[in-house]
Amino acid sequence: MGLRQMAGLGSSPSEAMGESAPQVSDRCLTLLVQGAAQNMPEIDEETYNAFRKKISEEAMQVPDRLPVEDKLALIQSIVREFESYRTGAEGALKDRQSGWRALVSMQLKELLERVGVDAGSSEAAPLVAKVAGLETGEQIQAYRERLLNFLHPSGAEQGIPVGASKLKAADRTTENDNAAGLRGGGAAVEHVKRIMERGGNGFIALFRLGCLEIISQRFGVEAVQDCLMAVSAFLTHNLRSGDAIFHWSDSSLLVILEGRPNEQILTAELQRIIAQNREITVTIEGRNVMLRIPLDFVLTPIGFLRNAEDLYKLTPKPATQW
């Protein structure tokens, strides 16, 4: 109704602003429409430019001494263009917002896994779920502080997140001062780098030892170290002499199997090896305890890595479990 009034529709010149009132109001309407179009948000450049061009063409027709009916139809067409652009812009923003939320959720879950936190735990699950409900800048800032406090709690040992497992912390050293007596993950990165530099091929097998959290809680750290040592000896004995095995974390071991061209044959070979896994005996407070450590592994072709440091992006998420 406001556009009609500005255009002077339904009133004579004498009833409006004088002899030239229709022409003046038409010119004001043209400027108003062009100004409103110019200040619409630019969500997509191509769509925005097409919208501006269409509105400019239609707005310039307003002062062309059109009949009242044609002028009203033109104004209605302009209003529809604004409505259509607004609807499209809101849809595009919602799509982008949903996409960013999904991306942040995915990356947060991967981050939690890297630091040894179960994304479905009672401490972490609310953080993951809350991403989908963030709307305002104030909410995002509050969430950021909450996430920082979770990942770096004050007073926590070495800033380890709540619910994080020290057993899953990546070993980036090159030394062999761990319970398994193997060189650390840093040495594995150097080994892979040499293979890549000479154009070699092969696979990386990341073995995960199961139930160590429970063993640690029930029997203590020394029992975990005994388990890691026993599994390390088991794999070293059963793998080929040319295969290189490294301490990846206190719950996982990494093996570099150079020159193995066939993934299916290698998978079957590793499955046979871990199927032979038997109970091990650990000494706890002077008594022998029989334990069976479940093993699973993830197999990654060396050719899939962009560089040797990509090893640190591998997670012991089981591809095969026995």
Side-chain angles (χ1 to χ4, degrees):
M1 197 57 196
L3 292 178
R4 296 184 186 181
Q5 292 173 346
M6 290 196 63
L9 300 178
S11 58
S12 65
S14 58
E15 291 175 336
M17 299 169 58
E19 186 67 23
S20 60
Q23 290 83 4
V24 173
S25 61
D26 286 347
R27 178 59 178 161
C28 289
L29 180 59
T30 300
L31 294 175
L32 175 62
V33 170
Q34 291 176 334
Q38 182 177 352
N39 286 280
M40 291 291 281
E42 182 179 340
I43 307 303
D44 176 78
E45 182 179 1
E46 183 177 352
T47 304
Y48 177 74
N49 289 337
F51 164 73
R52 287 285 307 277
K53 180 179 179 181
K54 179 69 174 178
I55 289 297
S56 180
E57 291 173 352
E58 292 189 342
M60 292 302 295
Q61 297 177 38
V62 174
D64 286 347
R65 299 182 179 276
L66 295 172
V68 171
E69 293 78 8
D70 292 344
K71 188 173 293 187
L72 179 58
L74 179 61
I75 293 173
Q76 291 173 336
S77 175
I78 292 174
V79 171
R80 284 194 297 270
E81 287 293 335
F82 272 93
E83 291 175 346
S84 176
Y85 182 78
R86 177 186 60 79
T87 301
E90 288 179 350
L93 284 176
K94 288 179 180 178
D95 288 343
R96 291 186 185 184
Q97 187 180 55
S98 298
W100 278 111
R101 285 172 172 171
L103 178 62
V104 171
S105 295
M106 179 190 72
Q107 292 182 328
L108 178 58
K109 289 178 182 178
E110 289 194 2
L111 171 63
L112 293 175
E113 288 180 357
R114 297 288 170 84
V115 297
V117 177
D118 180 5
S121 66
S122 58
E123 298 89 357
L127 280 172
V128 177
K130 196 171 181 62
V131 172
L134 298 176
E135 295 282 354
T136 66
E138 183 178 354
Q139 290 175 340
I140 294 173
Q141 179 61 28
Y143 179 82
R144 177 177 178 273
E145 294 176 0
R146 180 178 175 181
L147 181 60
L148 283 174
N149 290 333
F150 177 83
L151 295 174
H152 305 285
S154 58
E157 182 180 352
Q158 298 179 354
I160 296 175
V162 175
S165 170
K166 299 177 187 178
L167 299 177
K168 297 180 182 178
D171 180 0
R172 294 173 177 258
T173 71
T174 59
E175 306 300 325
N176 61 348
D177 55 356
N178 49 76
L182 302 169
R183 298 184 67 191
V189 171
E190 293 177 356
H191 190 84
V192 170
K193 185 176 181 181
R194 290 191 294 269
I195 294 175
M196 297 178 74
E197 286 175 347
R198 64 173 181 266
N201 61 9
F203 291 86
I204 298 158
L206 185 57
F207 287 88
R208 184 179 67 176
L209 286 65
C211 301
L212 291 190
E213 292 285 353
I214 297 174
I215 293 172
S216 176
Q217 295 171 7
R218 186 171 180 180
F219 301 113
V221 177
E222 291 185 1
V224 172
Q225 293 176 343
D226 287 345
C227 293
L228 187 66
M229 192 182 310
V231 173
S232 170
F234 166 75
L235 290 177
T236 302
H237 175 74
N238 287 278
L239 291 168
R240 297 182 185 180
S241 59
D243 297 333
I245 182 169
F246 300 88
H247 176 263
W248 195 245
S249 74
D250 286 346
S251 63
S252 58
L253 300 171
L254 184 139
V255 182
I256 299 174
L257 308 113
E258 189 176 0
R260 307 290 190 88
N262 191 297
E263 183 173 355
Q264 290 182 333
I265 294 176
L266 178 57
T267 298
E269 177 186 339
L270 296 180
Q271 288 173 349
R272 284 195 301 270
I273 289 175
I274 63 176
Q276 298 170 16
N277 184 31
R278 296 292 182 265
E279 291 81 2
I280 62 173
T281 303
V282 296
T283 302
I284 301 171
E285 296 180 353
R287 61 190 180 91
N288 294 333
V289 178
M290 298 290 291
L291 297 173
R292 179 179 172 86
I293 307 301
L295 291 177
D296 54 50
F297 67 90
V298 176
L299 204 59
T300 303
I302 293 177
F304 280 12
L305 304 178
R306 293 172 300 177
N307 52 61
E309 285 71 22
D310 277 353
L311 277 181
Y312 291 124
K313 297 179 181 179
L314 299 180
T315 57
K317 191 182 296 182
T320 307
Q321 185 168 344
W322 290 77

